[in-house]
Amino acid sequence: MLKLLSPRLSLPCTYNCYHSPSSSIRLRVSRPAGSRFRVLYRHFSEPMSSSTVDAVGEPSSIASDSGNAVGNTPEADVLVQYIILRRDLIDSWPLGSIVTQGCHASVSAIWSHKDDAHTLDYCSLENINSMHKVTLEVKGEPQILNLSEKLTAAGIAHKLWIEQPENFPTCLATKPYPKSIVSSFFKKLKLCK
């Protein structure tokens, strides 16, 4: 962590460099409380395959293109949360309402499984800025209920969001899982557009 003065405002700032799972370095600038200096994020997208220093200043190994460094999940088995929306509602509801429904289901699925190892890893400080979500769609209520039943039968933890006071299902979200475990349940679904 470097303590420097901001060149524009002469305010002390904190610069934190840290490694994200996508093999990039992020620089975060923090400002003193009460100042009007903006928080900035700088993203360097060049993949790195050599050693570097992590957020606490300790040497760490950064994954090569294969993504197999210690502590990293191989790209094919990345942690992912699936969110399934209903196409009939997408076509008839305001966009903001649909986004809100997906957010409700996503947060509920994560909070309901907050002590699960995959959820803890997905929401860890190292991964929080690089979450993987896949948003898909089904035609309507019968399809989302059918999908929920299949997931339940297979032991896949998820939240079927039931909107109140209307009392009907609007969307579904899984808890975070390795992609290899859950992707087969969603192969026939279309990306939400």
Side-chain angles (χ1 to χ4, degrees):
M1 191 180 312
L2 302 169
K3 296 244 183 208
L4 302 173
L5 291 179
S6 164
R8 295 180 75 196
L9 301 176
S10 297
L11 294 172
C13 297
T14 303
Y15 291 78
N16 293 323
C17 284
Y18 60 96
H19 171 258
S20 73
S22 62
S23 296
S24 56
I25 300 295
R26 293 182 188 267
L27 177 65
R28 184 157 127 192
V29 181
S30 305
R31 84 269 185 226
S35 76
R36 299 188 77 204
F37 187 74
R38 293 173 61 198
V39 176
L40 303 173
Y41 291 91
R42 180 82 181 196
H43 180 77
F44 300 95
S45 60
E46 300 83 23
M48 299 182 71
S49 58
S50 60
S51 294
T52 188
V53 176
D54 66 11
V56 293
E58 299 295 325
S60 67
S61 173
I62 294 182
S64 66
D65 293 336
S66 64
N68 291 327
V70 175
N72 286 350
T73 306
E75 187 62 34
D77 219 13
V78 67
L79 289 174
V80 64
Q81 182 180 37
Y82 283 88
I83 300 170
I84 316 304
L85 304 174
R86 287 176 44 185
R87 171 47 60 188
D88 60 333
L89 298 181
I90 293 169
D91 292 337
S92 60
W93 285 21
L95 178 61
S97 296
I98 296 299
V99 170
T100 299
Q101 296 300 305
C103 292
H104 289 329
S106 175
V107 170
S108 182
I110 287 176
W111 185 254
S112 297
H113 300 92
K114 64 184 177 286
D115 296 324
D116 175 80
H118 292 133
T119 303
L120 290 170
D121 191 26
Y122 187 78
C123 296
S124 69
L125 289 176
E126 297 82 25
N127 296 327
I128 197 75
N129 291 317
S130 60
M131 293 178 176
H132 294 272
K133 287 183 173 41
V134 178
T135 306
L136 305 170
E137 64 182 49
V138 293
K139 289 182 181 179
E141 185 174 340
Q143 291 80 15
I144 205 159
L145 291 173
N146 185 30
L147 178 60
S148 179
E149 289 173 12
K150 286 180 182 178
L151 294 173
T152 300
I156 302 298
H158 66 284
K159 174 63 177 179
L160 177 63
W161 186 258
I162 308 293
E163 183 62 12
Q164 299 298 330
E166 295 86 356
N167 202 36
F168 64 86
T170 56
C171 59
L172 177 152
T174 65
K175 77 166 191 72
Y177 277 103
K179 188 175 183 179
S180 65
I181 293 176
V182 293
S183 63
S184 62
F185 293 97
F186 305 105
K187 281 184 179 178
K188 295 181 180 179
L189 301 182
K190 294 179 182 178
L191 283 173
C192 187
K193 295 181 182 179

Short mmCIF file of all heavy atoms in Angstrom, two decimals, residues 81-84 101-113 144 147-148 151-152 156-164 169-177:
data_model
loop_
_atom_site.label_atom_id
_atom_site.label_comp_id
_atom_site.label_asym_id
_atom_site.label_seq_id
_atom_site.Cartn_x
_atom_site.Cartn_y
_atom_site.Cartn_z
N GLN A 81 -23.07 -17.83 -10.88
CA GLN A 81 -24.45 -17.82 -10.41
C GLN A 81 -25.33 -17.65 -11.64
O GLN A 81 -25.11 -16.76 -12.45
CB GLN A 81 -24.70 -16.67 -9.43
CG GLN A 81 -26.12 -16.66 -8.89
CD GLN A 81 -26.39 -15.53 -7.93
OE1 GLN A 81 -25.90 -14.43 -8.09
NE2 GLN A 81 -27.19 -15.81 -6.91
N TYR A 82 -26.31 -18.55 -11.77
CA TYR A 82 -27.26 -18.46 -12.88
C TYR A 82 -28.51 -17.73 -12.41
O TYR A 82 -29.03 -18.01 -11.33
CB TYR A 82 -27.63 -19.86 -13.38
CG TYR A 82 -26.56 -20.48 -14.24
CD1 TYR A 82 -25.53 -21.23 -13.67
CD2 TYR A 82 -26.56 -20.32 -15.62
CE1 TYR A 82 -24.54 -21.79 -14.44
CE2 TYR A 82 -25.56 -20.88 -16.41
CZ TYR A 82 -24.56 -21.61 -15.80
OH TYR A 82 -23.58 -22.16 -16.59
N ILE A 83 -28.98 -16.81 -13.25
CA ILE A 83 -30.23 -16.09 -12.99
C ILE A 83 -31.13 -16.31 -14.19
O ILE A 83 -30.72 -16.09 -15.33
CB ILE A 83 -29.96 -14.58 -12.79
CG1 ILE A 83 -29.02 -14.39 -11.59
CG2 ILE A 83 -31.26 -13.82 -12.59
CD1 ILE A 83 -28.49 -13.00 -11.43
N ILE A 84 -32.34 -16.78 -13.92
CA ILE A 84 -33.28 -17.11 -14.98
C ILE A 84 -34.49 -16.19 -14.88
O ILE A 84 -35.15 -16.14 -13.84
CB ILE A 84 -33.76 -18.59 -14.88
CG1 ILE A 84 -32.60 -19.54 -14.58
CG2 ILE A 84 -34.54 -18.98 -16.12
CD1 ILE A 84 -31.46 -19.50 -15.55
N GLN A 101 -36.32 -7.81 -10.00
CA GLN A 101 -36.69 -9.19 -9.69
C GLN A 101 -35.45 -10.09 -9.69
O GLN A 101 -35.25 -10.92 -8.80
CB GLN A 101 -37.73 -9.72 -10.69
CG GLN A 101 -39.05 -8.99 -10.67
CD GLN A 101 -39.74 -9.07 -9.34
OE1 GLN A 101 -39.99 -10.15 -8.81
NE2 GLN A 101 -40.06 -7.92 -8.77
N GLY A 102 -34.60 -9.94 -10.70
CA GLY A 102 -33.37 -10.72 -10.77
C GLY A 102 -32.45 -10.43 -9.59
O GLY A 102 -31.82 -11.34 -9.03
N CYS A 103 -32.39 -9.15 -9.18
CA CYS A 103 -31.56 -8.78 -8.02
C CYS A 103 -32.11 -9.42 -6.75
O CYS A 103 -31.34 -9.92 -5.92
CB CYS A 103 -31.52 -7.26 -7.86
SG CYS A 103 -30.62 -6.41 -9.17
N HIS A 104 -33.44 -9.40 -6.58
CA HIS A 104 -34.05 -10.03 -5.40
C HIS A 104 -33.65 -11.51 -5.32
O HIS A 104 -33.21 -11.99 -4.27
CB HIS A 104 -35.58 -9.96 -5.47
CG HIS A 104 -36.16 -8.61 -5.27
ND1 HIS A 104 -35.60 -7.64 -4.47
CD2 HIS A 104 -37.32 -8.07 -5.74
CE1 HIS A 104 -36.36 -6.56 -4.48
NE2 HIS A 104 -37.42 -6.80 -5.24
N ALA A 105 -33.80 -12.22 -6.42
CA ALA A 105 -33.50 -13.66 -6.44
C ALA A 105 -32.02 -13.91 -6.19
O ALA A 105 -31.65 -14.81 -5.43
CB ALA A 105 -33.94 -14.28 -7.75
N SER A 106 -31.16 -13.11 -6.81
CA SER A 106 -29.71 -13.28 -6.66
C SER A 106 -29.27 -13.07 -5.22
O SER A 106 -28.57 -13.90 -4.64
CB SER A 106 -28.98 -12.31 -7.58
OG SER A 106 -27.59 -12.36 -7.38
N VAL A 107 -29.70 -11.98 -4.62
CA VAL A 107 -29.32 -11.68 -3.24
C VAL A 107 -29.88 -12.73 -2.29
O VAL A 107 -29.20 -13.20 -1.38
CB VAL A 107 -29.78 -10.26 -2.84
CG1 VAL A 107 -29.61 -10.02 -1.34
CG2 VAL A 107 -29.02 -9.20 -3.63
N SER A 108 -31.12 -13.13 -2.52
CA SER A 108 -31.75 -14.13 -1.66
C SER A 108 -31.02 -15.47 -1.73
O SER A 108 -30.79 -16.12 -0.70
CB SER A 108 -33.22 -14.30 -2.04
OG SER A 108 -33.84 -15.24 -1.20
N ALA A 109 -30.64 -15.88 -2.93
CA ALA A 109 -29.92 -17.15 -3.10
C ALA A 109 -28.56 -17.09 -2.41
O ALA A 109 -28.15 -18.06 -1.77
CB ALA A 109 -29.75 -17.48 -4.57
N ILE A 110 -27.88 -15.97 -2.52
CA ILE A 110 -26.57 -15.84 -1.87
C ILE A 110 -26.73 -15.77 -0.36
O ILE A 110 -26.04 -16.45 0.39
CB ILE A 110 -25.80 -14.63 -2.44
CG1 ILE A 110 -25.31 -14.97 -3.85
CG2 ILE A 110 -24.64 -14.24 -1.54
CD1 ILE A 110 -24.61 -13.85 -4.57
N TRP A 111 -27.66 -14.95 0.11
CA TRP A 111 -27.83 -14.80 1.56
C TRP A 111 -28.29 -16.10 2.21
O TRP A 111 -27.85 -16.45 3.31
CB TRP A 111 -28.80 -13.67 1.87
CG TRP A 111 -28.91 -13.42 3.34
CD1 TRP A 111 -29.94 -13.75 4.16
CD2 TRP A 111 -27.93 -12.79 4.18
NE1 TRP A 111 -29.67 -13.37 5.44
CE2 TRP A 111 -28.44 -12.79 5.49
CE3 TRP A 111 -26.66 -12.26 3.95
CZ2 TRP A 111 -27.74 -12.26 6.57
CZ3 TRP A 111 -25.97 -11.72 5.03
CH2 TRP A 111 -26.50 -11.73 6.32
N SER A 112 -29.17 -16.82 1.54
CA SER A 112 -29.67 -18.09 2.09
C SER A 112 -28.57 -19.14 2.22
O SER A 112 -28.71 -20.09 2.98
CB SER A 112 -30.78 -18.65 1.20
OG SER A 112 -31.87 -17.77 1.17
N HIS A 113 -27.48 -18.96 1.47
CA HIS A 113 -26.37 -19.92 1.49
C HIS A 113 -25.06 -19.21 1.85
O HIS A 113 -23.99 -19.56 1.36
CB HIS A 113 -26.27 -20.62 0.14
CG HIS A 113 -27.51 -21.37 -0.19
ND1 HIS A 113 -28.55 -20.81 -0.92
CD2 HIS A 113 -27.92 -22.61 0.16
CE1 HIS A 113 -29.52 -21.69 -1.02
NE2 HIS A 113 -29.19 -22.78 -0.37
N ILE A 144 -40.54 -21.88 -15.70
CA ILE A 144 -39.71 -21.57 -14.54
C ILE A 144 -40.04 -22.49 -13.38
O ILE A 144 -39.16 -22.90 -12.62
CB ILE A 144 -39.79 -20.07 -14.15
CG1 ILE A 144 -38.52 -19.67 -13.41
CG2 ILE A 144 -41.02 -19.74 -13.32
CD1 ILE A 144 -38.22 -18.20 -13.40
N LEU A 147 -38.34 -25.83 -14.22
CA LEU A 147 -36.90 -25.74 -13.97
C LEU A 147 -36.61 -25.82 -12.47
O LEU A 147 -35.70 -26.53 -12.04
CB LEU A 147 -36.34 -24.44 -14.55
CG LEU A 147 -34.86 -24.19 -14.31
CD1 LEU A 147 -33.99 -25.30 -14.92
CD2 LEU A 147 -34.46 -22.83 -14.89
N SER A 148 -37.39 -25.13 -11.67
CA SER A 148 -37.20 -25.16 -10.22
C SER A 148 -37.36 -26.58 -9.68
O SER A 148 -36.58 -27.02 -8.83
CB SER A 148 -38.18 -24.22 -9.53
OG SER A 148 -38.02 -24.25 -8.14
N LEU A 151 -34.23 -28.62 -10.62
CA LEU A 151 -33.10 -28.25 -9.78
C LEU A 151 -33.24 -28.80 -8.37
O LEU A 151 -32.29 -29.31 -7.79
CB LEU A 151 -32.94 -26.72 -9.74
CG LEU A 151 -32.56 -26.04 -11.05
CD1 LEU A 151 -32.60 -24.53 -10.90
CD2 LEU A 151 -31.19 -26.50 -11.54
N THR A 152 -34.45 -28.73 -7.84
CA THR A 152 -34.71 -29.26 -6.50
C THR A 152 -34.46 -30.76 -6.47
O THR A 152 -33.81 -31.29 -5.56
CB THR A 152 -36.15 -28.94 -6.06
OG1 THR A 152 -36.32 -27.51 -6.04
CG2 THR A 152 -36.45 -29.50 -4.68
N ILE A 156 -29.78 -29.02 -6.48
CA ILE A 156 -29.14 -27.75 -6.81
C ILE A 156 -29.85 -26.63 -6.05
O ILE A 156 -31.03 -26.36 -6.28
CB ILE A 156 -29.20 -27.48 -8.34
CG1 ILE A 156 -28.53 -28.60 -9.12
CG2 ILE A 156 -28.60 -26.12 -8.66
CD1 ILE A 156 -27.05 -28.78 -8.83
N ALA A 157 -29.12 -26.01 -5.13
CA ALA A 157 -29.68 -24.94 -4.29
C ALA A 157 -29.98 -23.71 -5.14
O ALA A 157 -29.15 -23.26 -5.92
CB ALA A 157 -28.72 -24.60 -3.16
N HIS A 158 -31.19 -23.19 -4.98
CA HIS A 158 -31.60 -22.02 -5.74
C HIS A 158 -32.73 -21.31 -5.01
O HIS A 158 -33.29 -21.84 -4.06
CB HIS A 158 -32.06 -22.42 -7.15
CG HIS A 158 -33.29 -23.25 -7.16
ND1 HIS A 158 -33.29 -24.60 -6.83
CD2 HIS A 158 -34.58 -22.94 -7.42
CE1 HIS A 158 -34.52 -25.07 -6.92
NE2 HIS A 158 -35.32 -24.08 -7.27
N LYS A 159 -33.07 -20.13 -5.49
CA LYS A 159 -34.20 -19.37 -4.96
C LYS A 159 -35.15 -19.08 -6.12
O LYS A 159 -34.79 -18.44 -7.09
CB LYS A 159 -33.72 -18.06 -4.33
CG LYS A 159 -34.85 -17.16 -3.88
CD LYS A 159 -35.68 -17.78 -2.79
CE LYS A 159 -36.75 -16.82 -2.30
NZ LYS A 159 -37.57 -17.42 -1.25
N LEU A 160 -36.37 -19.58 -5.98
CA LEU A 160 -37.44 -19.23 -6.91
C LEU A 160 -38.12 -18.01 -6.30
O LEU A 160 -38.75 -18.12 -5.24
CB LEU A 160 -38.42 -20.39 -7.08
CG LEU A 160 -39.63 -20.12 -7.98
CD1 LEU A 160 -39.20 -19.83 -9.42
CD2 LEU A 160 -40.59 -21.30 -7.94
N TRP A 161 -37.95 -16.85 -6.93
CA TRP A 161 -38.49 -15.63 -6.36
C TRP A 161 -39.98 -15.54 -6.65
O TRP A 161 -40.40 -15.57 -7.80
CB TRP A 161 -37.78 -14.39 -6.90
CG TRP A 161 -38.24 -13.16 -6.20
CD1 TRP A 161 -39.13 -12.23 -6.65
CD2 TRP A 161 -37.86 -12.75 -4.88
NE1 TRP A 161 -39.32 -11.27 -5.70
CE2 TRP A 161 -38.55 -11.57 -4.60
CE3 TRP A 161 -37.01 -13.28 -3.91
CZ2 TRP A 161 -38.41 -10.88 -3.40
CZ3 TRP A 161 -36.86 -12.60 -2.72
CH2 TRP A 161 -37.56 -11.42 -2.47
N ILE A 162 -40.78 -15.45 -5.59
CA ILE A 162 -42.24 -15.32 -5.70
C ILE A 162 -42.59 -13.88 -5.34
O ILE A 162 -42.45 -13.46 -4.19
CB ILE A 162 -42.97 -16.30 -4.74
CG1 ILE A 162 -42.46 -17.73 -4.92
CG2 ILE A 162 -44.47 -16.19 -4.92
CD1 ILE A 162 -42.79 -18.36 -6.26
N GLU A 163 -43.02 -13.12 -6.32
CA GLU A 163 -43.35 -11.71 -6.10
C GLU A 163 -44.63 -11.59 -5.29
O GLU A 163 -45.62 -12.28 -5.56
CB GLU A 163 -43.48 -10.98 -7.44
CG GLU A 163 -43.75 -9.52 -7.34
CD GLU A 163 -42.65 -8.72 -6.64
OE1 GLU A 163 -41.54 -9.24 -6.40
OE2 GLU A 163 -42.91 -7.55 -6.33
N GLN A 164 -44.59 -10.71 -4.31
CA GLN A 164 -45.74 -10.45 -3.44
C GLN A 164 -46.21 -9.02 -3.66
O GLN A 164 -45.41 -8.15 -3.96
CB GLN A 164 -45.36 -10.68 -1.97
CG GLN A 164 -44.93 -12.08 -1.65
CD GLN A 164 -46.01 -13.11 -1.91
OE1 GLN A 164 -47.20 -12.83 -1.79
NE2 GLN A 164 -45.59 -14.31 -2.27
N PRO A 169 -44.36 -16.61 -9.44
CA PRO A 169 -42.90 -16.65 -9.64
C PRO A 169 -42.47 -15.73 -10.77
O PRO A 169 -43.07 -15.72 -11.84
CB PRO A 169 -42.64 -18.11 -9.98
CG PRO A 169 -43.91 -18.60 -10.56
CD PRO A 169 -45.01 -17.83 -9.89
N THR A 170 -41.41 -14.96 -10.51
CA THR A 170 -40.91 -14.05 -11.53
C THR A 170 -39.55 -14.45 -12.07
O THR A 170 -39.24 -14.20 -13.23
CB THR A 170 -40.80 -12.62 -10.98
OG1 THR A 170 -39.96 -12.63 -9.83
CG2 THR A 170 -42.18 -12.08 -10.61
N CYS A 171 -38.72 -15.05 -11.23
CA CYS A 171 -37.38 -15.43 -11.67
C CYS A 171 -36.78 -16.43 -10.70
O CYS A 171 -37.37 -16.75 -9.66
CB CYS A 171 -36.47 -14.21 -11.81
SG CYS A 171 -36.29 -13.30 -10.29
N LEU A 172 -35.60 -16.89 -11.03
CA LEU A 172 -34.93 -17.92 -10.26
C LEU A 172 -33.43 -17.61 -10.28
O LEU A 172 -32.91 -17.15 -11.29
CB LEU A 172 -35.21 -19.27 -10.92
CG LEU A 172 -34.60 -20.55 -10.40
CD1 LEU A 172 -35.53 -21.71 -10.73
CD2 LEU A 172 -33.24 -20.81 -10.96
N ALA A 173 -32.76 -17.87 -9.17
CA ALA A 173 -31.30 -17.71 -9.12
C ALA A 173 -30.70 -18.87 -8.33
O ALA A 173 -31.25 -19.27 -7.30
CB ALA A 173 -30.91 -16.39 -8.47
N THR A 174 -29.61 -19.41 -8.84
CA THR A 174 -28.89 -20.46 -8.10
C THR A 174 -27.95 -19.79 -7.11
O THR A 174 -27.60 -18.62 -7.26
CB THR A 174 -28.05 -21.34 -9.04
OG1 THR A 174 -27.01 -20.54 -9.62
CG2 THR A 174 -28.91 -21.99 -10.11
N LYS A 175 -27.52 -20.55 -6.13
CA LYS A 175 -26.39 -20.09 -5.32
C LYS A 175 -25.16 -20.25 -6.21
O LYS A 175 -25.21 -20.92 -7.23
CB LYS A 175 -26.28 -20.89 -4.03
CG LYS A 175 -25.68 -22.27 -4.20
CD LYS A 175 -25.29 -22.85 -2.85
CE LYS A 175 -24.45 -24.08 -3.00
NZ LYS A 175 -23.11 -23.86 -3.46
N PRO A 176 -24.04 -19.64 -5.89
CA PRO A 176 -22.83 -19.84 -6.70
C PRO A 176 -22.37 -21.30 -6.67
O PRO A 176 -22.36 -21.93 -5.62
CB PRO A 176 -21.80 -18.92 -6.02
CG PRO A 176 -22.63 -17.89 -5.32
CD PRO A 176 -23.85 -18.62 -4.86
N TYR A 177 -22.05 -21.81 -7.84
CA TYR A 177 -21.56 -23.18 -8.02
C TYR A 177 -20.40 -23.16 -9.01
O TYR A 177 -20.35 -22.29 -9.89
CB TYR A 177 -22.63 -24.08 -8.65
CG TYR A 177 -23.63 -24.66 -7.70
CD1 TYR A 177 -24.91 -24.14 -7.62
CD2 TYR A 177 -23.32 -25.77 -6.91
CE1 TYR A 177 -25.85 -24.69 -6.76
CE2 TYR A 177 -24.26 -26.33 -6.06
CZ TYR A 177 -25.52 -25.79 -5.98
OH TYR A 177 -26.44 -26.34 -5.14
#
